[in-house]
Amino acid sequence: MRQQIKHARKLENLLVKNGRIITSTSDFYGDVLIENGRINKVFSTGNQISAGQEIDAGGCYVLPGFIDPHVHLHLETPFGFSSDDFYTGSKAALHGGTTTLLDFVTPKKNESLTAALEKRKTEAADALIDYSLHVSPVSWNSNTRRQIISCVNQGISSFKVYLAYQKSIGISDYALAAIMETLAGTGAILMIHCENDGMISYLQKKFLTEGKTSPKNHGLSRPAEAESEAVNRAISFSEKFNCPVYLVHLSSAKSAGLVEKARKKGLQVYGETCPQYLLLDESSYDAKFDDAAKFVMSPPLRKAGDQSALWDAIASGAIQSIGTDHCPFTLGQKKNGKSDFTKIPNGAGGIEHRPSLMFTFGVLENRISMQQWVNILSTNPAKLFGLKNKGDIRPGMDADVVIWDADAKKTISARDHHQNCDQNIYEGITVKGLAKYVITNGRVAIKNQSLIEDNLSGRFIRCGSSGSIR
Ligand code: URP
Ligand code: ZN
């Protein structure tokens, strides 16, 4: 939780000079003039302008602020809340260059979507960066249609359902059909967590009965087939009901292939993956409990072949967006599942590291271009979730700007990361490329990699219609 809000800093005009400006469609040397929290003008180098405050971005890239479309801050679970709240999570996000986040509203079974949305906004009130929310219907009843439409009218343009977790928040195929029919034509998009619950429940019970209780069995009980079956189902429903879908945290080659095929058919199907599925693999589960449990997430880590298929899917445009699924738990929380892998809270952190990881292992290893990197981390999430003033550097946009030092290096460690967690799944990985300055709504929030917290305050952003990407 945030301790105190310091006194207001006056918002001066700000000029970011001499940088190499990269957006999803342009690449040139120039200056960005910021006024009243918005980008006012973008010039090519050589203009004689000045402003109250100036930052020399010489030798650096100037980028639109990154958008993390998938985080779970302050998520309630039977093992306590995920360890980052909106304050600590947004602080960590800023250090990495992320200036907007999208979290979730997960109502209790009999709670209305609109009441849960209001409650979630109060929980998010101490976010340091702008945020919006995806709303999750967890069942279907006579009020759900009206509540969904009410959320759309309140600036919510993305909903999320879980095909896994049938004992708690997972929905039936009947509800999936009804929700898709409701959303079709509203301008909203449906995010879907694709895993077949029956297959997973059967395997979990079988392994526990056989005395197989270690974290490795988490991965074995959630095979790639459980994901691809649900991906296939989600695509079929999307086609039938003409509802745009965004399939979250795809982890396998099979799922990426299904999304690619659906897109080739012209369906409104979008795919997201996360750095952990691109960079880590199932061998992490071979370690002793304390080291293996931190990698317990759903879907689980997979094989090296899945990683390369996912990278190929990003490069070809079959996958359009990278989220983190940031949902960290401490080692103490993970220990709940010491003698039963199904009781290890699912999830891991990464909100701070996504830009650097994707730059180091994507751009610098020639898997994606600089512009693709900007696209999948900022411009595409802005389009898909209707964040009209984000994801680009042009006049009128919110002044969310990152000055990126491509030569700076850092070895990731829980010892000095900014996430509120005593472990880090990327521990020991060295990244090249860091956010040197981060500007959010015209305010300098990160200067020489350090936070200036005065008067930072994130806003709830009302989203417009989800845009299409071909
Ligand atoms: O393991 C994960 N992904 N935890 C977060 C909740 C979810 O399933 O997305
Ligand atoms: Zn998630």
Side-chain angles (χ1 to χ4, degrees), residues 262-313:
R263 290 180 58 75
K264 283 199 176 128
K265 259 174 97 175
L267 302 182
Q268 301 172 82
V269 175
Y270 302 96
E272 172 199 84
T273 190
C274 314
Q276 56 269 36
Y277 301 116
L278 295 163
L279 302 173
L280 307 174
D281 68 56
E282 62 186 6
S283 63
S284 301
Y285 298 126
D286 293 334
K288 290 220 166 66
F289 181 89
D290 287 8
D291 290 321
K294 70 179 175 184
F295 299 102
V296 167
M297 59 186 77
S298 295
L301 301 176
R302 306 222 184 265
K303 300 185 191 310
D306 292 298
Q307 295 176 344
S308 48
L310 292 170
W311 278 115
D312 290 347

Coordinates of all heavy atoms in Angstrom, one line a residue, residues 262-313:
A262 N -6.7 -20.2 -37.7 CA -8.0 -19.5 -37.6 C -7.8 -18.1 -38.2 O -8.8 -17.6 -38.9 CB -8.3 -19.3 -36.1
R263 N -6.7 -17.4 -38.0 CA -6.5 -16.1 -38.6 C -6.4 -16.2 -40.1 O -6.9 -15.3 -40.8 CB -5.2 -15.5 -38.0 CG -5.4 -15.1 -36.5 CD -4.2 -14.5 -35.9 NE -3.8 -13.3 -36.6 CZ -4.4 -12.1 -36.5 NH1 -5.5 -11.9 -35.7 NH2 -4.0 -11.0 -37.2
K264 N -5.8 -17.2 -40.6 CA -5.7 -17.4 -42.1 C -7.1 -17.5 -42.7 O -7.4 -17.1 -43.8 CB -4.9 -18.6 -42.5 CG -3.4 -18.3 -42.3 CD -2.5 -19.3 -43.1 CE -1.1 -18.8 -43.0 NZ -0.2 -19.9 -42.6
K265 N -8.1 -18.1 -41.9 CA -9.5 -18.2 -42.3 C -10.2 -16.8 -42.2 O -11.4 -16.7 -42.6 CB -10.2 -19.2 -41.4 CG -10.4 -20.6 -41.9 CD -11.0 -21.5 -40.9 CE -12.5 -21.6 -41.0 NZ -13.0 -22.6 -40.0
G266 N -9.5 -15.9 -41.6 CA -10.2 -14.5 -41.5 C -10.9 -14.3 -40.2 O -11.6 -13.4 -40.1
L267 N -10.8 -15.3 -39.3 CA -11.6 -15.1 -38.0 C -10.9 -14.1 -37.1 O -9.7 -13.8 -37.2 CB -11.6 -16.5 -37.3 CG -12.2 -17.7 -38.0 CD1 -12.2 -18.9 -37.1 CD2 -13.6 -17.3 -38.5
Q268 N -11.8 -13.5 -36.2 CA -11.3 -12.5 -35.3 C -10.6 -13.1 -34.1 O -11.2 -13.1 -33.0 CB -12.4 -11.6 -34.9 CG -13.1 -10.9 -36.0 CD -14.4 -10.2 -35.6 OE1 -14.3 -9.1 -35.1 NE2 -15.5 -10.9 -35.6
V269 N -9.5 -13.8 -34.3 CA -8.9 -14.5 -33.2 C -7.5 -13.9 -33.0 O -6.7 -13.7 -34.0 CB -8.8 -16.0 -33.6 CG1 -7.9 -16.8 -32.5 CG2 -10.1 -16.6 -33.7
Y270 N -7.1 -13.6 -31.8 CA -5.9 -13.0 -31.4 C -5.2 -13.8 -30.4 O -5.8 -14.5 -29.6 CB -6.0 -11.6 -30.9 CG -6.8 -10.7 -31.9 CD1 -8.1 -10.5 -31.8 CD2 -6.1 -10.2 -33.0 CE1 -8.8 -9.8 -32.8 CE2 -6.8 -9.4 -33.9 CZ -8.1 -9.2 -33.8 OH -8.8 -8.5 -34.8
G271 N -3.8 -13.8 -30.4 CA -3.1 -14.6 -29.4 C -2.1 -13.8 -28.6 O -1.5 -12.9 -29.1
E272 N -2.0 -14.2 -27.4 CA -1.0 -13.6 -26.4 C -0.1 -14.7 -25.9 O -0.6 -15.9 -25.7 CB -1.8 -13.0 -25.3 CG -0.9 -12.5 -24.1 CD -1.6 -12.3 -22.8 OE1 -1.8 -13.4 -22.1 OE2 -2.1 -11.2 -22.5
T273 N 1.2 -14.4 -25.8 CA 2.0 -15.3 -25.0 C 2.8 -14.5 -24.0 O 2.6 -13.2 -23.9 CB 2.9 -16.2 -25.9 OG1 3.6 -17.2 -25.0 CG2 4.0 -15.4 -26.6
C274 N 3.6 -15.1 -23.2 CA 4.3 -14.4 -22.1 C 5.8 -14.7 -22.2 O 6.2 -15.8 -22.6 CB 3.8 -14.8 -20.8 SG 2.0 -14.8 -20.7
P275 N 6.7 -13.9 -21.7 CA 8.1 -14.1 -21.7 C 8.5 -15.5 -21.1 O 9.4 -16.2 -21.6 CB 8.7 -13.0 -20.9 CG 7.7 -11.9 -21.0 CD 6.4 -12.5 -21.1
Q276 N 7.8 -15.9 -20.0 CA 8.1 -17.2 -19.4 C 8.0 -18.4 -20.4 O 8.7 -19.3 -20.3 CB 7.3 -17.4 -18.1 CG 5.8 -17.4 -18.2 CD 5.2 -16.0 -17.9 OE1 5.8 -15.0 -18.3 NE2 4.1 -16.0 -17.3
Y277 N 7.0 -18.3 -21.3 CA 6.8 -19.4 -22.2 C 7.8 -19.4 -23.4 O 8.0 -20.4 -24.1 CB 5.3 -19.5 -22.7 CG 4.4 -19.6 -21.6 CD1 3.5 -18.6 -21.3 CD2 4.4 -20.7 -20.7 CE1 2.6 -18.7 -20.2 CE2 3.6 -20.8 -19.6 CZ 2.7 -19.8 -19.4 OH 1.8 -19.9 -18.3
L278 N 8.4 -18.2 -23.5 CA 9.4 -18.1 -24.6 C 10.8 -18.4 -24.1 O 11.7 -18.7 -24.9 CB 9.4 -16.6 -25.1 CG 8.1 -16.2 -25.8 CD1 8.0 -14.7 -25.9 CD2 8.0 -16.8 -27.2
L279 N 11.0 -18.2 -22.8 CA 12.4 -18.3 -22.3 C 12.7 -19.4 -21.3 O 13.9 -19.7 -21.0 CB 12.7 -16.9 -21.6 CG 12.6 -15.7 -22.5 CD1 12.7 -14.4 -21.7 CD2 13.6 -15.8 -23.6
L280 N 11.7 -19.9 -20.6 CA 11.9 -20.9 -19.6 C 11.3 -22.2 -20.1 O 10.3 -22.2 -20.9 CB 11.3 -20.5 -18.3 CG 11.7 -19.1 -17.8 CD1 10.9 -18.7 -16.6 CD2 13.2 -19.1 -17.5
D281 N 11.7 -23.4 -19.5 CA 11.1 -24.6 -20.0 C 10.9 -25.6 -18.8 O 11.2 -25.3 -17.7 CB 11.9 -25.3 -21.1 CG 13.2 -25.8 -20.6 OD1 13.3 -26.6 -19.6 OD2 14.3 -25.4 -21.2
E282 N 10.2 -26.7 -19.1 CA 9.7 -27.6 -18.1 C 10.9 -28.2 -17.2 O 10.6 -28.7 -16.1 CB 9.0 -28.8 -18.7 CG 9.8 -29.6 -19.7 CD 9.0 -30.6 -20.4 OE1 7.8 -30.7 -20.4 OE2 9.7 -31.4 -21.2
S283 N 12.1 -28.1 -17.6 CA 13.2 -28.6 -16.8 C 13.3 -27.9 -15.4 O 13.8 -28.4 -14.5 CB 14.5 -28.6 -17.5 OG 14.9 -27.2 -17.8
S284 N 12.7 -26.7 -15.4 CA 12.7 -25.9 -14.1 C 12.0 -26.7 -13.0 O 12.2 -26.5 -11.8 CB 12.0 -24.6 -14.3 OG 12.6 -23.8 -15.2
Y285 N 11.0 -27.6 -13.4 CA 10.3 -28.4 -12.4 C 11.1 -29.6 -11.8 O 10.6 -30.2 -10.9 CB 9.0 -28.9 -13.0 CG 8.0 -27.8 -13.5 CD1 7.6 -27.8 -14.8 CD2 7.6 -26.8 -12.6 CE1 6.7 -26.8 -15.2 CE2 6.8 -25.8 -13.0 CZ 6.3 -25.8 -14.3 OH 5.5 -24.8 -14.7
D286 N 12.3 -29.8 -12.3 CA 13.1 -30.9 -11.8 C 13.8 -30.6 -10.5 O 14.3 -31.5 -9.8 CB 14.1 -31.3 -12.9 CG 13.5 -31.9 -14.1 OD1 12.4 -32.5 -14.0 OD2 14.1 -31.9 -15.2
A287 N 13.9 -29.3 -10.2 CA 14.6 -28.9 -9.0 C 13.8 -29.3 -7.7 O 12.7 -29.8 -7.7 CB 14.7 -27.4 -9.0
K288 N 14.5 -29.1 -6.5 CA 13.9 -29.3 -5.2 C 12.7 -28.4 -5.0 O 12.6 -27.3 -5.7 CB 14.9 -29.1 -4.1 CG 16.0 -30.2 -4.1 CD 16.3 -30.6 -2.6 CE 17.1 -31.8 -2.5 NZ 18.4 -31.7 -3.1
F289 N 11.8 -28.7 -4.1 CA 10.5 -28.0 -4.0 C 10.7 -26.4 -4.0 O 10.1 -25.7 -4.8 CB 9.7 -28.4 -2.7 CG 8.4 -27.6 -2.6 CD1 7.3 -28.1 -3.1 CD2 8.4 -26.4 -2.0 CE1 6.1 -27.4 -3.1 CE2 7.2 -25.6 -1.9 CZ 6.0 -26.2 -2.5
D290 N 11.6 -25.9 -3.2 CA 11.7 -24.4 -3.0 C 12.1 -23.8 -4.3 O 11.6 -22.6 -4.6 CB 12.7 -24.1 -1.9 CG 12.2 -24.3 -0.5 OD1 11.1 -24.9 -0.4 OD2 12.8 -23.9 0.4
D291 N 12.9 -24.4 -5.1 CA 13.3 -23.8 -6.4 C 12.3 -24.1 -7.5 O 12.2 -23.3 -8.4 CB 14.7 -24.4 -6.8 CG 15.7 -23.8 -5.9 OD1 15.6 -22.6 -5.5 OD2 16.7 -24.6 -5.5
A292 N 11.6 -25.3 -7.4 CA 10.7 -25.6 -8.5 C 9.3 -24.9 -8.4 O 8.7 -24.5 -9.4 CB 10.5 -27.1 -8.5
A293 N 8.9 -24.7 -7.1 CA 7.5 -24.2 -6.9 C 7.3 -22.8 -7.5 O 6.2 -22.4 -7.9 CB 7.2 -24.2 -5.4
K294 N 8.4 -22.0 -7.5 CA 8.2 -20.7 -8.1 C 7.8 -20.7 -9.5 O 7.3 -19.7 -10.0 CB 9.4 -19.8 -7.8 CG 10.7 -20.1 -8.6 CD 11.8 -19.1 -8.3 CE 13.1 -19.5 -9.0 NZ 14.2 -18.6 -8.6
F295 N 8.1 -21.8 -10.2 CA 7.7 -21.9 -11.7 C 6.3 -22.5 -11.9 O 5.9 -22.7 -13.0 CB 8.7 -22.7 -12.4 CG 10.1 -22.2 -12.4 CD1 11.1 -22.7 -11.5 CD2 10.5 -21.1 -13.2 CE1 12.3 -22.2 -11.5 CE2 11.7 -20.6 -13.2 CZ 12.7 -21.1 -12.3
V296 N 5.6 -22.7 -10.8 CA 4.2 -23.3 -10.9 C 3.3 -22.2 -11.3 O 3.0 -21.2 -10.6 CB 3.8 -24.0 -9.6 CG1 2.3 -24.3 -9.6 CG2 4.6 -25.3 -9.4
M297 N 2.8 -22.3 -12.5 CA 1.9 -21.4 -13.1 C 1.0 -22.1 -14.1 O 1.3 -23.2 -14.5 CB 2.6 -20.3 -13.8 CG 3.5 -20.8 -14.9 SD 4.6 -19.6 -15.7 CE 5.9 -19.4 -14.5
S298 N -0.1 -21.5 -14.5 CA -1.0 -22.2 -15.4 C -1.3 -21.3 -16.6 O -1.7 -20.2 -16.4 CB -2.3 -22.6 -14.7 OG -2.1 -23.5 -13.7
P299 N -1.0 -21.8 -17.8 CA -0.5 -23.1 -18.1 C 1.0 -23.2 -17.6 O 1.6 -22.2 -17.4 CB -0.6 -23.2 -19.7 CG -0.7 -21.8 -20.1 CD -1.4 -21.0 -19.0
P300 N 1.5 -24.5 -17.6 CA 2.9 -24.6 -17.1 C 3.9 -24.4 -18.2 O 3.6 -24.2 -19.3 CB 2.9 -26.1 -16.7 CG 1.9 -26.8 -17.6 CD 0.8 -25.7 -17.9
L301 N 5.2 -24.4 -17.7 CA 6.3 -24.2 -18.7 C 6.3 -25.5 -19.5 O 6.0 -26.6 -19.1 CB 7.6 -24.0 -17.9 CG 7.6 -22.8 -17.0 CD1 8.9 -22.7 -16.3 CD2 7.4 -21.5 -17.9
R302 N 6.8 -25.3 -20.8 CA 6.8 -26.5 -21.7 C 8.1 -26.8 -22.3 O 9.1 -26.6 -21.6 CB 5.7 -26.2 -22.8 CG 4.4 -25.8 -22.3 CD 3.3 -26.5 -23.0 NE 2.0 -26.0 -22.5 CZ 1.2 -26.7 -21.6 NH1 1.7 -27.8 -21.1 NH2 0.0 -26.2 -21.3
K303 N 8.2 -27.3 -23.5 CA 9.4 -27.8 -24.1 C 10.1 -26.8 -24.9 O 9.4 -25.8 -25.4 CB 9.1 -29.1 -24.9 CG 8.4 -30.2 -24.2 CD 8.3 -31.4 -25.0 CE 7.4 -32.5 -24.4 NZ 7.7 -32.8 -23.0
A304 N 11.4 -27.0 -25.2 CA 12.1 -26.1 -26.1 C 11.4 -25.9 -27.4 O 11.4 -24.8 -28.0 CB 13.5 -26.5 -26.3
G305 N 10.9 -27.0 -28.0 CA 10.2 -26.9 -29.3 C 9.0 -25.9 -29.2 O 8.7 -25.3 -30.2
D306 N 8.3 -25.9 -28.1 CA 7.2 -25.0 -28.0 C 7.7 -23.5 -28.0 O 7.1 -22.6 -28.6 CB 6.4 -25.2 -26.7 CG 5.7 -26.6 -26.7 OD1 4.8 -26.7 -27.6 OD2 6.1 -27.5 -25.9
Q307 N 8.8 -23.3 -27.3 CA 9.4 -21.9 -27.3 C 9.7 -21.4 -28.7 O 9.3 -20.3 -29.1 CB 10.7 -21.9 -26.5 CG 10.6 -22.2 -25.0 CD 11.9 -22.3 -24.3 OE1 13.0 -22.4 -25.0 NE2 11.9 -22.3 -23.0
S308 N 10.3 -22.3 -29.5 CA 10.7 -21.8 -30.8 C 9.4 -21.6 -31.7 O 9.4 -20.6 -32.5 CB 11.7 -22.7 -31.5 OG 11.3 -24.0 -31.4
A309 N 8.4 -22.4 -31.5 CA 7.2 -22.2 -32.3 C 6.5 -20.9 -31.9 O 5.9 -20.2 -32.7 CB 6.2 -23.4 -32.0
L310 N 6.6 -20.6 -30.6 CA 5.9 -19.3 -30.1 C 6.7 -18.1 -30.7 O 6.1 -17.1 -31.1 CB 5.9 -19.3 -28.6 CG 4.9 -20.3 -27.9 CD1 5.1 -20.3 -26.4 CD2 3.5 -20.0 -28.3
W311 N 8.0 -18.2 -30.7 CA 8.8 -17.1 -31.3 C 8.5 -16.9 -32.8 O 8.3 -15.8 -33.3 CB 10.3 -17.4 -31.2 CG 10.9 -17.0 -29.8 CD1 11.5 -17.9 -28.9 CD2 11.1 -15.7 -29.3 NE1 12.0 -17.2 -27.8 CE2 11.7 -15.9 -28.0 CE3 10.8 -14.4 -29.7 CZ2 12.1 -14.8 -27.2 CZ3 11.1 -13.3 -28.8 CH2 11.7 -13.5 -27.6
D312 N 8.3 -18.1 -33.5 CA 8.0 -18.0 -34.9 C 6.6 -17.3 -35.1 O 6.4 -16.6 -36.0 CB 8.0 -19.4 -35.5 CG 9.4 -20.0 -35.6 OD1 10.3 -19.2 -35.5 OD2 9.5 -21.2 -35.9
A313 N 5.7 -17.7 -34.2 CA 4.3 -17.2 -34.3 C 4.3 -15.6 -34.0 O 3.5 -14.9 -34.6 CB 3.4 -17.9 -33.3

